[in-house]
């Protein structure tokens, strides 16, 4: 099974995506804040990081840069945002893909399948 680390502060979205992705066969590790994410189990290696761009205690953009700057990282990064556009996001970090909120779940799944090989 593929592992997804998801940082999303909206509890409803986090729960829906957790249930949806789990039903699609992924192991999902949901976090509501950057602080929670920083306490993740380092022994679990994700295939994908799914970050909300704006979080209450930090930024998915900063997390994207942190992950992308780690030479040992092999996982993809997708940024989700209701406020930022893809062009704005790519000026601040280089995610593997971008998901605009609100989104259709089938399109969302296609984007995830597209970056997880």
């Amino acid at each position: 099974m593929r592992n997804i680390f998801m940082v999303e502060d909206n509890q409803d979205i986090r729960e829906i995506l957790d249930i949806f992705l789990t039903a699609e066969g992924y192991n999902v590790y949901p976090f509501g804040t950057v602080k929670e994410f920083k306490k993740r189990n380092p022994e679990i290696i994700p295939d994908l990081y799914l970050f909300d761009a704006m979080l209450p205690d930090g930024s998915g953009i900063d997390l994207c840069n942190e992950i992308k700057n780690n030479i040992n990282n092999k996982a993809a990064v997708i940024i989700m945002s209701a406020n930022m556009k893809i062009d704005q996001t790519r000026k601040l970090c280089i995610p593997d893909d971008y998901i605009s909120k609100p989104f259709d779940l089938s399109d969302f799944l296609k984007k995830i399948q597209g970056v997880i090989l």
Side-chain angles (χ1 to χ4, degrees):
M1 281 186 132
R2 303 290 190 147
N3 296 322
I4 298 176
F5 283 4
M6 174 178 52
V7 185
E8 168 59 62
D9 61 317
N10 182 302
Q11 182 176 348
D12 293 335
I13 293 173
R14 191 172 60 246
E15 287 177 4
I16 288 167
L17 292 179
D18 185 9
I19 292 166
F20 175 72
L21 292 170
T22 299
E24 291 296 326
Y26 296 98
N27 290 322
V28 181
Y29 299 87
F31 306 94
T33 64
V34 171
K35 184 178 179 179
E36 289 175 15
F37 175 73
K38 296 284 186 174
K39 294 179 183 178
R40 68 192 181 275
N41 182 345
E43 294 179 14
I44 300 171
I45 307 299
D47 298 286
L48 171 66
Y49 293 95
L50 188 57
F51 297 137
D52 187 5
M54 297 193 306
L55 298 161
D57 63 340
S59 161
I61 302 298
D62 292 340
L63 292 175
C64 174
N65 285 322
E66 181 182 315
I67 298 300
K68 289 295 191 173
N69 289 328
N70 179 345
I71 60 170
N72 295 319
N73 175 59
K74 306 257 188 284
V77 175
I78 294 178
I79 297 289
M80 301 182 296
S81 180
N83 302 311
M84 296 179 73
K85 301 298 178 206
I86 191 167
D87 294 339
Q88 293 172 296
T89 303
R90 293 199 178 185
K91 289 178 185 174
L92 302 171
C93 73
I94 308 295
D96 295 278
D97 210 338
Y98 172 86
I99 296 172
S100 180
K101 294 178 185 175
F103 48 80
D104 176 82
L105 284 176
S106 62
D107 292 338
F108 176 84
L109 183 61
K110 286 177 190 173
K111 288 202 178 246
I112 288 178
Q113 291 169 335
V115 299
I116 298 180
L117 305 173

